[in-house]
Amino acid sequence: MSDRGGKKAQTELEISIADANDNPPRFEEESVEIEILEGKPVGSLIFKATAFDADIGENAEIKYKIVGAQPIQGKYLFEIEPDTGRVVTVKDIKRQDFPM
């Protein structure tokens, strides 16, 4: 994220997929870099994680969750909808909240 003066801060979210059968789910993209401007309204869509599972029926259902973030503040700024993978803001994002 960056402010109007061009100063930037970053966070890294780790998202896991729960799966307990023979075919592991896979993310469409292993890593994604997104730039977020300060001042995004709470509830803004930031990203949609997409994963696929080769299993059939109930075993192919995917649930998403955020399991970590670097720095830790990032974990409290976003949430992921378990069924859709939509990552949205849950707090006002300010660059100064992140150590440089």
Side-chain angles (χ1 to χ4, degrees), residues 8 26-27 60 67 84:
K8 295 184 178 190
R26 303 213 186 280
F27 280 107
V67 295
T84 66

Side-chain angles (χ1 to χ4, degrees), residues 2-52:
S2 61
D3 65 11
R4 297 191 200 288
K7 297 196 176 190
K8 295 184 178 190
Q10 68 181 42
T11 189
E12 180 178 314
L13 295 178
E14 181 180 340
I15 301 170
S16 75
I17 309 167
D19 187 58
N21 49 49
D22 57 342
N23 292 306
R26 303 213 186 280
F27 280 107
E28 186 175 87
E29 299 178 66
E30 193 170 307
S31 179
V32 178
E33 189 170 314
I34 302 165
E35 187 168 313
I36 304 167
L37 296 176
E38 288 184 305
K40 282 271 193 198
V42 171
S44 293
L45 175 65
I46 301 301
F47 175 72
K48 184 175 184 312
T50 305
F52 301 95

Side-chain angles (χ1 to χ4, degrees), residues 28-98:
E28 186 175 87
E29 299 178 66
E30 193 170 307
S31 179
V32 178
E33 189 170 314
I34 302 165
E35 187 168 313
I36 304 167
L37 296 176
E38 288 184 305
K40 282 271 193 198
V42 171
S44 293
L45 175 65
I46 301 301
F47 175 72
K48 184 175 184 312
T50 305
F52 301 95
D53 191 319
D55 291 316
I56 298 172
E58 200 174 280
N59 289 340
E61 291 179 16
I62 295 174
K63 298 281 187 193
Y64 301 89
K65 80 176 187 177
I66 296 172
V67 295
Q70 289 297 325
I72 193 68
Q73 296 95 310
K75 190 172 181 180
Y76 306 105
L77 294 174
F78 307 100
E79 73 178 22
I80 191 166
E81 296 172 356
D83 295 323
T84 66
R86 290 170 38 99
V87 177
V88 297
T89 58
V90 294
K91 287 191 170 186
D92 189 28
I93 299 173
K94 296 183 176 102
R95 184 199 54 80
Q96 62 265 28
D97 293 336
F98 292 85

